Amino acid sequence: MPNRPPPYFPQEQLSPPDPKRYRAFKIIVALFAVFLLALIAGIGIGIFYLLKWLFS
């Protein structure tokens, strides 16, 4: 006899979803995005001033 699961699995959560569930994850992702934008802007400004210094 094959080992089969029971015929019914409840699809809904037993407890209501917590609104603060992903708060820490959202904060980390937002901080990472701000850091990445600042890094890209810093690299762009650095290249600009390097080229300005090289060709002046």
Side-chain angles (χ1 to χ4, degrees), residues 24-39:
F25 176 72
K26 288 179 186 178
I27 291 172
I28 290 170
V29 169
L31 289 175
F32 181 72
V34 168
F35 171 75
L36 202 59
L37 287 173
L39 184 66

Side-chain angles (χ1 to χ4, degrees), residues 34-55:
V34 168
F35 171 75
L36 202 59
L37 287 173
L39 184 66
I40 291 170
I43 290 171
I45 292 170
I47 290 172
F48 171 75
Y49 280 112
L50 176 66
L51 292 175
K52 187 176 173 182
W53 176 72
L54 285 173
F55 293 111

Side-chain angles (χ1 to χ4, degrees), residues 1-30:
M1 175 166 256
N3 187 10
R4 289 186 287 176
Y8 172 74
F9 286 103
Q11 299 296 319
E12 298 178 8
Q13 294 181 357
L14 297 178
S15 61
D18 185 13
K20 298 179 183 177
R21 185 175 180 182
Y22 297 111
R23 184 176 178 201
F25 176 72
K26 288 179 186 178
I27 291 172
I28 290 170
V29 169

